[in-house]
Amino acid sequence: EFNNCKFIDCNLNNVDINGSKFSDVEFVNCKIVGVNWTMAYWRGLVLSAPLTFRECMINSSSFYGLNLEKITIEGCRSHDVDFREANLSGVNFSDTDLKNSLFNNTNLSGANFDEAQNYDINIQTNIVKNARFSRYEAVRLLSSLDINLID
């Protein structure tokens, strides 16, 4: 069990978290690549404070189907991350690079994508109500509508 912990400047690549419990955990400037977060023990867990990732590399990880409202993934490199089927309402993705990350049937209501980049989110298959997007990067949301944009 990891309760009220802070990991700073750690290399946790491919760590096996099978059955681990996380509550009030913050990762700062960590490499956490290739982690299957779905293998942790989440059942019945009520987070008094959400998980936090700041300035981390969390590439090639999976949050598939998890209920992680209001987590923070801020200033991170999050390439090839699986967020499909997850409840990420209120998530803070500010200043995060989401290149090739997967979103499908994901609840992103109230999410903050301020200064986030490289996200491909189909607004027809994900919930984005009241989400915040930077004006120029938000043009990416139109790619799922099968329309032609003209400069």
Side-chain angles (χ1 to χ4, degrees):
E1 289 188 29
F2 297 93
N3 296 308
N4 199 21
C5 299
K6 192 176 215 179
F7 294 86
I8 301 173
D9 298 325
C10 296
N11 184 341
L12 301 168
N13 287 347
N14 298 308
V15 67
D16 181 2
I17 61 169
N18 192 17
S20 299
K21 292 182 182 180
F22 295 89
S23 179
D24 303 325
V25 177
E26 182 175 2
F27 299 93
V28 179
N29 199 37
C30 295
K31 286 180 70 179
I32 317 169
V33 175
V35 176
N36 186 352
W37 291 94
T38 66
M39 299 306 291
Y41 186 86
W42 300 107
R43 220 174 5 253
L45 183 64
V46 177
L47 299 176
S48 58
L51 287 174
T52 300
F53 301 90
R54 294 189 199 285
E55 305 296 328
C56 293
M57 181 184 294
I58 61 171
N59 296 349
S60 304
S61 296
S62 178
F63 294 89
Y64 181 89
L66 294 179
N67 183 12
L68 296 173
E69 295 180 49
K70 298 181 182 174
I71 67 168
T72 296
I73 302 175
E74 181 179 19
C76 293
R77 184 172 175 183
S78 301
H79 294 187
D80 305 298
V81 177
D82 190 350
F83 295 110
R84 294 173 301 154
E85 305 286 331
N87 179 3
L88 301 176
S89 59
V91 67
N92 180 4
F93 276 123
S94 63
D95 198 31
T96 292
D97 185 351
L98 294 155
K99 185 177 181 179
N100 296 323
S101 288
L102 302 174
F103 296 91
N104 188 47
N105 200 28
T106 306
N107 184 351
L108 297 165
S109 58
N112 179 7
F113 286 89
D114 187 34
E115 300 300 322
Q117 59 269 353
N118 297 319
Y119 48 82
D120 291 309
I121 299 170
N122 185 326
I123 60 174
Q124 296 175 319
T125 60
N126 295 283
I127 302 169
V128 294
K129 184 177 182 178
N130 294 320
R132 289 178 42 162
F133 297 93
S134 297
R135 179 180 315 269
Y136 297 107
E137 192 70 19
V139 171
R140 299 180 65 88
L141 299 172
L142 298 175
S143 66
S144 65
L145 297 178
D146 198 26
I147 61 175
N148 295 316
L149 297 176
I150 300 171
D151 290 333

